[in-house]
Amino acid sequence: MFFKSYKRKLLPWIYVNFIKHADTSEPIMDTSFLIRTVCSQLNNFVDCPKTNLEQIWESHGFSVGIRESNLHNRGVIVTRGVVSAGDVVGYYPGTVYNPGDSIFIQSISNSYIFQCADGIFIDGKHNGISGKFYKSCSERNRLGPHMTCDQSWLALKNLVNPLACGQIVNNGGSKSSNVSYCEIDLDLRMISLKQRMFVPNVLHSEPSPYLRMVVLVATKDIPEGEEVLSSYFSVC
C-alpha cells in the first residue's frame, strides 16, 4: 500500500510510464489559445453557480458535473450537450507548490497530487490537511473584501466555477481517455480583481503575478451522458 501511494512521485516510475503512455502523434496544444479561453471564462463568471453553468452551456454548448461513476465512486460527466474536441472541459483545482516547497505531510495517502513537467505540484484534495492548507492560503491572499481564489470546489457541489472539477476525472487508460492535461501559466493581471474569486488555485508560497494552472482539454468529441476520462499521462 505504501509503495502504491508513493510510486507516482518517483521519477523513474514517472519517466517510464510517461514514455509508455504519452501520445506523441498529437500536436502540441497552443497554450496562448488556452490562456485566452481561460481568461474569457473567468472574467465572465458571476457569483451564482446556476448562471455560470448556463454561461458555459451558451458559449460552449455543454455542461459538466460531478456525478456517480461506473469506474469509481464519482466522476465528471457531460450532463448536457456535446463537448467538442479542443474545448476546455475543466480546471485542476488546488494549492500550487513550487519546487522546494514542503509538501511531504500533505502528500501522505493523497492521490490527488498532480505533478507538472517542471516539478510544480498541484494538490487537488478537497478535505483533510490539504483542504485546510488551501483555505489558509486563500484567506492569507484576501485583498480586503476581495477573495483572490475560489473555495467552492472544496465542497464538491454547487461549484461557483463549474469547471473546477478536474481532480475528480477518472483514469480511463490510453484507449478510453478523451481529455489531456495542459499546463499554462496564467498572468493574474489579465483577470480583474473582483473576478479572481473564480480562480480555483492558490500559491502555497507568497503571491506572484503568475499562477500555474492545469486545464483539461478534450481530445475528441464527448457526447451527453459520457464520462470525462484522462490517461493520467496525456500532457500537452
Side-chain angles (χ1 to χ4, degrees), residues 63-185:
S63 296
V64 294
I66 299 173
R67 301 288 190 273
E68 290 185 1
S69 167
N70 293 327
L71 296 178
H72 196 57
N73 182 33
R74 55 184 169 236
V76 177
I77 310 295
V78 179
T79 57
R80 182 166 57 156
V82 177
V83 176
S84 299
D87 280 344
V88 173
V89 186
Y91 308 156
Y92 199 100
T95 306
V96 179
Y97 292 83
N98 287 320
D101 289 345
S102 177
I103 193 175
F104 175 74
I105 298 298
Q106 301 90 305
S107 71
I108 296 175
S109 298
N110 185 350
S111 60
Y112 291 95
I113 294 181
F114 184 98
Q115 182 173 9
C116 298
D118 58 358
I120 290 176
F121 292 94
I122 301 179
D123 183 2
K125 190 173 182 180
H126 66 282
N127 56 9
I129 191 170
S130 296
K132 289 181 172 62
F133 265 100
Y134 185 91
K135 288 181 180 178
S136 176
C137 293
S138 173
E139 294 297 332
R140 176 201 66 194
N141 291 357
R142 179 195 288 267
L143 296 174
H146 299 288
M147 297 299 297
T148 57
C149 64
D150 174 27
Q151 291 189 15
S152 69
W153 68 270
L154 295 168
L156 299 185
K157 59 182 179 180
N158 296 323
L159 306 183
V160 175
N161 180 337
L163 300 181
C165 54
Q167 85 285 16
I168 305 299
V169 170
N170 288 315
N171 181 13
S174 58
K175 294 183 179 179
S176 301
S177 65
N178 48 33
V179 297
S180 285
Y181 298 101
C182 296
E183 302 169 13
I184 62 173
D185 288 314

Side-chain angles (χ1 to χ4, degrees), residues 177-212:
S177 65
N178 48 33
V179 297
S180 285
Y181 298 101
C182 296
E183 302 169 13
I184 62 173
D185 288 314
L186 182 67
D187 186 345
L188 292 172
R189 292 167 295 190
M190 299 173 68
I191 310 299
S192 67
L193 180 58
K194 69 182 183 66
Q195 295 300 114
R196 292 183 192 176
M197 63 178 288
F198 304 113
V199 177
N201 298 97
V202 64
L203 274 170
H204 174 262
S205 53
E206 290 300 314
S208 164
Y210 292 93
L211 178 68
R212 172 62 52 84

